Amino acid sequence: MITRTLFLIIFSVSINFVSSGQSQTDSGVACYKRGEYKEALEYFSKINEANTNCEVLGYKADSYRHIGNYDLAIKFFEQATKDCEPNYEMYLNLGDSYFKKGLINEAYTNFIKTYSMNPDNFEVNYNLGLISYQYGNFSTAKDYARRATKLKPEYIDAFDLLSDSYNSLDEYDSSLQIIDKLHKANPSNRTLLLKAYVYGDMGDYEKCVELTTEVIKSDPKNINAYYNRYLAYYKLNNKKKSCRDYKKVKAIDKESEIENYFGCK
């Protein structure tokens, strides 16, 4: 009789615990999907480690990634890749966490794993292009960036990377062609600045001044336009106009670390 009672108590507690664990999981996942990552982690932290399944592990790791705690994100993503059946998103997010920690080699390794599982993923093509560019592998960066622009044509950062890759390879005509095509489809100050950067790299500083001035007319507080026009005027040895734009940059951002090439006062 005592044994039977004890068994019933244990069984009852076990059922309540499992039910509670599932409830915590469901609540945590719901918070995650609403973008409430800190709240999601509060629920996940209440789940006994022995009952933390692969679903919880993945959501927990990605919640830490979203709130910027990359150390814990890496810890739980690494655990998930070992204990669970990893998918491309797991490696992609692990790579992203390493990248944001500044651990580029580790990020690259996980992005390559992502690419091997899903070569048509836009993010991994862009990220591999970005790392290849940082490594100085401009031809490889160009290939990844070009693929990223085809996979997600509306993402201008991919075009920016592609343009930078062309510029680094001295393929300025190709760079201008893609920017002109992008600007025609969706005119913006961003694309005008991209074009100004190319002309600056080419040494056509007059054209760079023309394009940055066009941006400034429609956006008088565009610090990037003033900065690049400042550099162009410096290259043209126009101290008066260069110092004028130097002061504009400092007025917009007093903490700017812009080089004072002309000793502007």
Side-chain angles (χ1 to χ4, degrees):
M1 187 70 179
I2 295 176
T3 303
R4 180 180 175 82
T5 304
L6 182 60
F7 173 77
L8 289 173
I9 292 173
I10 292 174
F11 182 76
S12 175
V13 170
S14 176
I15 290 296
N16 289 335
F17 178 80
V18 172
S19 176
S20 174
Q22 186 59 51
S23 175
Q24 302 293 350
T25 298
D26 292 343
S27 297
V29 171
C31 286
Y32 174 91
K33 291 181 177 179
R34 290 196 299 267
E36 299 168 354
Y37 304 112
K38 289 183 179 179
E39 291 80 357
L41 286 167
E42 288 180 9
Y43 284 110
F44 294 142
S45 67
K46 296 174 183 177
I47 301 172
N48 188 291
E49 189 173 340
N51 292 298
T52 299
N53 57 29
C54 290
E55 178 190 28
V56 172
L57 201 56
Y59 280 120
K60 190 174 184 178
D62 208 40
S63 294
Y64 278 120
R65 182 179 71 91
H66 277 291
I67 66 172
N69 190 332
Y70 302 117
D71 288 323
L72 287 178
I74 290 168
K75 173 186 175 182
F76 290 113
F77 274 130
E78 288 284 12
Q79 184 181 341
T81 60
K82 294 173 184 175
D83 297 348
C84 309
E85 185 176 347
N87 55 40
Y88 80 90
E89 290 179 328
M90 198 177 292
Y91 285 122
L92 178 65
N93 290 331
L94 177 56
D96 180 65
S97 301
Y98 274 123
F99 186 84
K100 288 172 179 172
K101 274 276 294 180
L103 299 170
I104 307 303
N105 290 338
E106 291 83 350
Y108 182 79
T109 297
N110 283 282
F111 289 146
I112 286 294
K113 290 178 181 178
T114 306
Y115 186 85
S116 69
M117 299 174 80
N118 187 358
D120 291 329
N121 177 267
F122 156 74
E123 288 90 346
V124 77
N125 278 276
Y126 176 76
N127 291 340
L128 284 171
L130 201 60
I131 291 177
S132 297
Y133 187 87
Q134 290 183 6
Y135 280 159
N137 299 329
F138 303 124
S139 183
T140 302
K142 178 183 71 174
D143 292 340
Y144 281 124
R146 186 192 291 120
R147 188 173 177 84
T149 61
K150 292 179 180 179
L151 291 167
K152 194 172 183 179
E154 69 274 19
Y155 191 66
I156 195 169
D157 281 357
F159 285 94
D160 194 347
L161 177 60
L162 180 56
S163 174
D164 284 345
S165 300
Y166 277 129
N167 296 345
S168 297
L169 294 166
D170 296 333
E171 298 177 11
Y172 299 114
D173 288 342
S174 295
S175 183
L176 288 171
Q177 284 176 11
I178 63 163
I179 296 171
D180 283 338
K181 183 179 179 181
L182 184 62
H183 187 72
K184 186 176 181 180
N186 185 23
S188 69
N189 284 335
R190 176 77 182 276
T191 50
L192 286 176
L193 281 175
L194 286 178
K195 199 170 182 179
Y197 301 157
V198 178
Y199 280 109
D201 285 345
M202 292 172 65
D204 189 342
Y205 304 116
E206 294 285 0
K207 187 66 176 179
C208 182
V209 167
E210 177 188 324
L211 290 164
T212 49
T213 300
E214 187 177 345
V215 173
I216 290 168
K217 284 180 181 178
S218 64
D219 184 4
K221 292 187 177 181
N222 192 309
I223 193 170
N224 290 321
Y226 281 114
Y227 176 72
N228 282 278
R229 194 171 71 173
Y230 157 73
L231 292 176
Y233 279 134
Y234 168 72
K235 292 292 187 178
L236 293 167
N237 201 32
N238 189 327
K239 180 177 180 179
K240 182 179 179 180
K241 290 184 177 180
S242 185
C243 283
R244 180 192 64 192
D245 284 344
Y246 171 84
K247 293 174 183 177
K248 273 288 188 181
V249 171
K250 295 297 285 185
I252 295 171
D253 180 8
K254 294 179 181 179
E255 303 300 319
S256 172
E257 297 180 359
I258 181 173
E259 290 282 348
N260 189 353
Y261 294 116
F262 276 124
C264 306
K265 297 180 180 179

